[in-house]
Amino acid sequence: MPRIEIDGRTPDPDLLATALLNQYGHFTAMQVRGRRVRGLDLHLARLRAATAEVFGTGLDTDAVRGHLRGALTDEYADSAVRIQVLHLDPAADPAIVVLLRPPVDMPRAPQRLRSVRHQRPLAHIKQVGGSFGQSYHGRAARAAGFDDALLTAADGTISETSIANIGFFDGSAITWPDAPALEGITKQLVQHHGPGAGLASKTGPVTLDDVPAHRAAFVANSQGIAPVSAIDDTQLPVDDELMAALYDLYESAPWDTI
């Protein structure tokens, strides 16, 4: 059963209704296991930077950490977590909302993506509710038998999927598209720890026409990493060696105590 706390307490119906009616804010999503999470400092840095940009104020990340720690009772020690920062009271600092649900791991089955011409506004901010277009195109792609939508500019420049970063592998390095996109935490972990595992990262433009020149592709988000087997009608082989290295890298990334 989901659990929600606002500023460290269970909300009454009035406060919950206020939160539902005031969805201007941002969030971070994470998988918690045994009250630990990968990249905790990266999550807190994301929340702090977005709060400064969205609300023009600071964020007490010690308080964020304390609210999260308090919400992770024994029943919820393993959880899928969202921490939202919402402005519920104009006279007060933004509220910290902690949402807990059962844990989720990304299936490792190869994903098929459908390209669409759409880019999220303010893509670098993880917006509460996401943008309507992002959700619309993701749902439409899944209804058409794909796993997700691949967001592109009008000239075919690739940015991200509706819910994940995408990386392309040429046999020597991972290329992350140089286009407006969220800097995902799992992407940042791969960039940071990848060189030690022989997986260098770089950033550069990638278009739909460039896809066949790459040896493989994969997606990464808060649930994990999965290979990409097709973009539209273009088939991509699953590089088992690459995926094994990515899975090992992800599984070996340090877990931070909350």
Side-chain angles (χ1 to χ4, degrees):
M1 180 177 180
R3 174 185 175 92
I4 181 171
E5 291 191 356
I6 300 179
D7 287 335
R9 60 189 179 92
T10 301
D12 59 31
D14 287 341
L15 182 56
L16 187 58
T18 299
L20 290 173
L21 290 170
N22 290 272
Q23 289 292 289
Y24 178 73
H26 62 89
F27 75 101
T28 194
M30 62 186 73
Q31 294 295 321
V32 172
R33 302 292 185 269
R35 298 188 178 89
R36 298 180 302 157
V37 63
R38 298 182 178 98
L40 179 60
D41 288 347
L42 297 174
H43 285 285
L44 296 177
R46 165 189 280 171
L47 293 174
R48 183 168 54 245
T51 298
E53 182 172 352
V54 172
F55 299 115
T57 188
L59 179 69
D60 185 347
T61 53
D62 287 338
V64 173
R65 194 168 182 170
H67 290 326
L68 176 55
R69 188 186 304 117
L72 292 171
T73 61
D74 289 345
E75 182 182 356
Y76 292 91
D78 294 348
S79 293
V81 177
R82 286 192 177 200
I83 302 175
Q84 297 182 346
V85 181
L86 300 176
H87 218 172
L88 304 183
D89 182 351
D93 290 334
I96 299 167
V97 182
V98 178
L99 300 132
L100 307 174
R101 295 178 297 167
V104 180
D105 291 311
M106 181 181 286
R108 294 187 175 184
Q111 294 198 6
R112 297 174 61 249
L113 307 178
R114 182 171 78 169
S115 66
V116 297
R117 290 185 177 182
H118 179 76
Q119 290 186 300
R120 296 188 300 115
L122 300 172
H124 63 289
I125 297 174
K126 197 169 180 68
Q127 304 154 33
V128 170
S131 70
F132 182 84
Q134 168 192 0
S135 300
Y136 173 86
H137 288 300
R139 290 171 62 91
R142 288 185 283 275
F146 292 83
D147 295 289
D148 199 2
L150 182 65
L151 310 185
T152 74
D155 64 357
T157 296
I158 293 167
S159 55
E160 58 188 342
T161 82
S162 79
I163 57 172
N165 292 119
I166 185 167
F168 294 89
F169 186 62
D170 62 7
S172 61
I174 296 166
T175 297
W176 302 97
D178 183 12
L182 183 73
E183 286 293 302
I185 303 302
T186 299
K187 171 187 172 181
Q188 293 181 59
L189 290 173
V190 172
Q191 289 174 313
H192 181 73
H193 297 288
L199 289 174
S201 282
K202 59 183 179 179
T203 301
V206 181
T207 70
L208 291 172
D209 289 340
D210 296 330
V211 169
H214 291 87
R215 193 165 105 180
F218 64 95
V219 291
N221 66 12
S222 64
Q223 297 178 8
I225 298 171
V228 173
S229 61
I231 296 176
D232 297 328
D233 294 329
T234 301
Q235 302 298 310
L236 284 162
V238 174
D239 188 320
D240 292 332
E241 184 178 349
L242 168 67
M243 296 312 302
L246 286 169
Y247 293 144
D248 287 347
L249 185 159
Y250 183 67
E251 294 297 333
S252 63
W255 287 88
D256 302 317
T257 300
I258 295 168

